[in-house]
Amino acid sequence: MSEEDFEALVADELDALPDEMMAGLENVQFSVEDRPEDGSLSLFGLYHGIALTHREHYGFGELPDLITIYRDPHLAHCHDVDELRDQVHVTLVHEIGHFYGMDDAQLHELGWG
């Protein structure tokens, strides 16, 4: 799948997420990269920022938090477009969960791991 097609798939899955989940996202940027810095194929996404539950103050001039979705791990793991779409959805919910202050154990317990 081309970079453009994968980015479009990620955008479609973002659009499909519930409004309640998206409404609380403030100053968050989404990006798509081929692989994580270490080149591995085991990491589907990464949240980089300060979780909402750990912010003391937040205001003007703050750099945006970043959620990165990695293309190559998704493509290596998924066998067809439907499976790819499902995995991107899970990855987005997982990383957004980190923004809201959930840790990996909580996300796995809820089936978003």
Side-chain angles (χ1 to χ4, degrees), residues 42 48 64 94:
S42 60
H48 182 65
H94 182 97

Side-chain angles (χ1 to χ4, degrees), residues 57-75:
H57 64 83
Y58 197 76
F60 182 74
E62 300 287 339
L63 291 176
D65 291 359
L66 177 63
I67 293 177
T68 304
I69 306 300
Y70 297 112
R71 178 176 165 260
D72 290 347
H74 280 89
L75 296 178

Side-chain angles (χ1 to χ4, degrees), residues 11-28:
D12 289 346
E13 288 305 307
L14 272 171
D15 289 342
L17 292 174
D19 291 338
E20 302 81 31
M21 180 181 289
M22 300 301 289
L25 293 178
E26 180 180 320
N27 203 25
V28 177

Side-chain angles (χ1 to χ4, degrees), residues 70-103:
Y70 297 112
R71 178 176 165 260
D72 290 347
H74 280 89
L75 296 178
H77 177 78
C78 299
H79 298 92
D80 58 40
V81 174
D82 290 333
E83 187 178 356
L84 179 61
R85 188 173 302 283
D86 289 343
Q87 184 58 56
V88 167
H89 184 89
V90 168
T91 302
L92 286 168
V93 171
H94 182 97
E95 300 310 330
I96 291 169
H98 286 312
F99 168 83
Y100 285 114
M102 301 176 81
D103 63 22

